[in-house]
């Protein structure tokens, strides 16, 4: 919330309308990347890095938005929603407004200032934080009475219909349903979820940002989704009842291994193993067995690297480097891969010394700056009192 005073001051310097302030967090995913679009299991949670919003209705048809961190501004008529071809960040907000209009919600012109400490394109769902924050803000200032499930639907449709992004509900769900000090154990098949308590007074999640920016619509991501669809089509020839890779057990997959194209089998094997890994990791969390949980993080990275082939030298270097430190229980690439962050489960002893050592090694190896964030699990998008 460190940005509240900055955003408040900027808002009232720019606008005369009365503002409501809210906070929308980024998210991590501890295990289960790429299982979400296979109706699998995931373990996301909101973190204490995010975006602060100041928003107020101005009783006109004009929308004024100031992106404080970029010092960029857009103004448009709320009845004429069109994609902005110069400012990509604006389109995530425009998509939400478009959905409100499509749903027949009575909204008018408003003023908005936003900014925060959530890095863009690092795999921490900054775009989702923008979408969910605006959806909450519009609901509040126009007194619409929407539920969290309504916001989930609005922001997901904004992704799909306005942005053309082929994403699942996971990011929005983590943003909207997180509870501080709890992991969400989420079933992407039916959105059943549990909040698993983390007694982590002596632990933190450290995010090592490779500074390789992620593309939300990358061809490699879409190729992995297509491979999973192809795998289901192949499997159905021998096991007709399989509708998604979630329906496939390791034992059943092993029986048809020789009937599958080897690269396709490898990717399928990773998804099946990862879903089982998340299920077992939930038991580790309940038992507070962080050694076992950490081993599953390393196993997950091995699979993402060797079977699903979405890693890169920078990510692999950081994961291997993490094994040199006794206070790191586990680490893995997080998100779609090919860049973004490595997430590490770290015991809070000599953390700064460890981080500085990793930064120096990364700089020496790749000639690039490494950024590290120490994250806690936070609450979902909410109003600031």
């Amino acid at each position: 919330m460190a940005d509240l005073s900055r955003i408040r001051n900027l808002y009232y310097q720019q606008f005369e309308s009365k503002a409501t302030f809210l906070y929308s967090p980024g998210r991590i995913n501890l295990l289960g990347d790429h299982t979400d679009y296979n109706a699998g299991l995931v373990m996301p949670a909101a973190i204490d890095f995010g975006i602060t919003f100041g928003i107020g209705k101005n009783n006109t048809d004009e929308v004024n938005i100031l992106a404080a961190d970029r010092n960029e501004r857009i103004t448009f008529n709320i009845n004429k929603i069109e994609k902005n071809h110069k400012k990509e960040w604006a389109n995530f907000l425009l998509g939400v407004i478009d959905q409100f209009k499509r749903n027949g919600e009575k909204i008018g012109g408003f003023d908005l200032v936003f900014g925060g400490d959530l890095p863009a394109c690092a795999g921490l769902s900054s775009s989702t934080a923008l979408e969910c924050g605006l959806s909450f803000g519009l609901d509040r200032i126009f007194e619409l009475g929407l539920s969290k499930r309504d916001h989930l639907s609005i922001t997901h449709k904004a992704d799909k219909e306005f942005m053309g992004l082929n994403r699942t509900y996971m990011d929005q769900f983590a943003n909207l349903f997180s509870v501080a000090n709890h992991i969400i154990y989420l079933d992407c098949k039916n959105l059943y979820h549990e909040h698993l308590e983390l007694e982590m007074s002596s632990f933190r999640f450290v995010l090592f940002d490779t500074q390789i920016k992620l593309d939300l619509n990358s061809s490699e991501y879409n190729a992995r989704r297509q491979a999973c669809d192809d795998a289901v089509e192949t499997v159905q020839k021998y096991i007709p009842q399989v509708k998604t890779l979630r329906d496939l057990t390791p034992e059943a997959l092993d029986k048809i291994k020789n009937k599958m194209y080897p690269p396709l089998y490898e990717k399928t094997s990773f998804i099946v193993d990862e879903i089982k890994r998340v299920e077992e990791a939930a038991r580790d969390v309940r038992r507070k067995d962080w050694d076992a949980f950490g081993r599953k993080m390393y196993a997950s990275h091995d699979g993402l690297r060797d079977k699903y082939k979405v890693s890169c030298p920078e990510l692999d270097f950081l994961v291997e480097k993490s094994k040199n430190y006794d206070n790191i229980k586990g680490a893995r690439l997080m998100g779609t891969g090919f860049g973004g962050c490595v997430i590490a489960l770290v015991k809070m002893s000599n953390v700064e010394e460890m981080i500085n050592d990793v930064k120096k090694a990364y700089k020496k190896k790749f000639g690039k700056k490494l950024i590290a964030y120490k994250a806690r699990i936070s609450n979902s998008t909410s109003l600031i009192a």
Side-chain angles (χ1 to χ4, degrees):
M1 303 295 181
D3 281 290
L4 177 58
S5 60
R6 178 173 69 104
I7 297 303
R8 179 189 285 123
N9 290 338
L10 273 173
Y11 187 94
Y12 286 118
Q13 287 169 13
Q14 299 286 326
F15 306 117
E16 296 180 357
S17 57
K18 182 180 178 181
T20 293
F21 295 93
L22 61 141
Y23 182 78
S24 186
R27 72 104 185 96
I28 55 175
N29 190 34
L30 305 185
L31 282 171
D33 286 313
H34 294 281
T35 58
D36 55 335
Y37 54 82
N38 288 288
L41 302 171
V42 292
M43 293 185 110
I47 56 172
D48 57 345
F49 288 81
I51 301 172
T52 299
F53 294 75
I55 184 170
K57 58 182 178 180
N58 57 29
N59 300 315
T60 72
D61 288 333
E62 187 171 271
V63 175
N64 305 293
I65 300 176
L66 173 62
D69 301 328
R70 298 170 179 267
N71 195 27
E72 294 181 352
R73 181 169 179 157
I74 60 171
T75 297
F76 56 91
N77 188 298
I78 197 163
N79 298 311
K80 297 178 181 178
I81 306 300
E82 298 175 346
K83 269 198 171 183
N84 190 308
H85 298 291
K86 294 182 179 180
K87 298 177 176 64
E88 184 66 12
W89 59 263
N91 291 317
F92 292 102
L93 302 172
L94 290 165
V96 171
I97 299 168
D98 179 64
Q99 280 301 317
F100 271 78
K101 300 291 285 184
R102 287 174 182 268
N103 290 352
E105 303 292 353
K106 296 187 182 304
I107 61 173
F110 62 91
D111 304 317
L112 170 67
V113 177
F114 70 89
D117 56 4
L118 184 60
C121 303
L124 302 178
S125 294
S126 58
S127 58
T128 297
L130 277 179
E131 293 169 335
C132 293
L134 178 60
S135 188
F136 249 69
L138 291 176
D139 178 30
R140 181 68 176 185
I141 64 174
F142 291 107
E143 300 178 348
L144 302 174
L146 301 179
S147 68
K148 287 190 176 184
R149 290 279 177 164
D150 292 330
H151 293 300
L152 185 69
S153 176
I154 287 167
T155 52
H156 183 256
K157 285 183 178 179
D159 259 0
K160 187 174 182 180
E161 296 176 8
F162 195 83
M163 295 300 298
L165 295 174
N166 196 19
R167 292 195 288 186
T168 67
Y169 285 96
M170 183 182 74
D171 291 352
Q172 284 94 351
F173 201 97
N175 181 287
L176 294 165
F177 290 87
S178 279
V179 175
N181 302 316
H182 289 73
I183 296 173
I184 301 176
Y185 177 50
L186 174 63
D187 189 333
C188 295
K189 189 172 187 177
N190 52 23
L191 297 186
Y192 168 81
H193 63 286
E194 296 179 49
H195 289 97
L196 304 180
E197 185 175 6
L198 291 179
E199 291 184 6
M200 289 185 62
S201 58
S202 59
F203 287 93
R204 291 290 184 277
F205 292 107
V206 176
L207 305 166
F208 294 104
D209 186 352
T210 63
Q211 297 292 286
I212 301 172
K213 300 305 181 184
L214 301 177
D215 179 359
L216 291 169
N217 224 349
S218 74
S219 59
E220 289 290 353
Y221 173 75
N222 290 329
R224 295 308 181 280
R225 293 197 65 151
Q226 184 59 53
C228 292
D229 291 341
D230 293 343
V232 169
E233 189 175 331
T234 299
V235 169
Q236 284 178 334
K237 295 175 183 177
Y238 310 99
I239 314 174
Q241 63 268 33
V242 168
K243 304 302 180 186
T244 68
L245 294 186
R246 168 69 180 282
D247 303 325
L248 192 58
T249 64
E251 296 75 19
L253 176 61
D254 190 58
K255 290 179 180 178
I256 61 171
K257 175 180 178 179
N258 295 330
K259 301 181 185 298
M260 297 183 73
Y261 179 53
L264 196 61
Y265 167 78
E266 290 294 308
K267 292 180 177 63
T268 305
S269 176
F270 166 74
I271 296 297
V272 172
D273 289 346
E274 186 76 350
I275 292 171
K276 186 175 181 62
R277 206 161 16 240
V278 175
E279 187 175 17
E280 293 173 349
R283 292 196 287 271
D284 295 338
V285 174
R286 294 186 185 103
R287 293 193 296 253
K288 301 176 179 59
D289 189 344
W290 301 117
D291 290 325
F293 191 94
R295 289 193 293 272
K296 289 179 177 64
M297 292 179 75
Y298 281 127
S300 176
H301 182 81
D302 290 346
L304 287 161
R305 179 193 63 213
D306 300 331
K307 291 184 174 182
Y308 218 62
K309 301 190 184 303
V310 294
S311 193
C312 66
E314 291 85 349
L315 292 168
D316 293 339
F317 174 83
L318 290 169
V319 172
E320 286 304 309
K321 183 71 175 173
S322 75
K323 296 175 182 178
N324 296 338
Y325 304 96
D326 293 337
N327 59 333
I328 297 182
K329 295 294 185 180
R332 61 187 285 273
L333 74 85
M334 185 183 70
T336 57
F338 308 107
C341 290
V342 162
I343 182 170
L345 175 61
V346 180
K347 193 171 178 62
M348 292 300 287
S349 59
N350 303 317
V351 174
E352 293 302 329
E353 181 181 340
M354 177 273 292
I355 289 174
N356 289 332
D357 191 48
V358 174
K359 285 181 175 180
K360 289 177 183 177
Y362 189 80
K363 179 73 172 179
K364 182 178 179 180
K365 176 73 173 178
F366 298 105
K368 292 188 286 191
K369 182 180 179 181
L370 178 71
I371 297 178
Y373 309 97
K374 290 177 290 186
R376 300 171 185 257
I377 306 300
S378 80
N379 285 315
S380 60
T381 289
S382 57
L383 295 171
I384 301 173

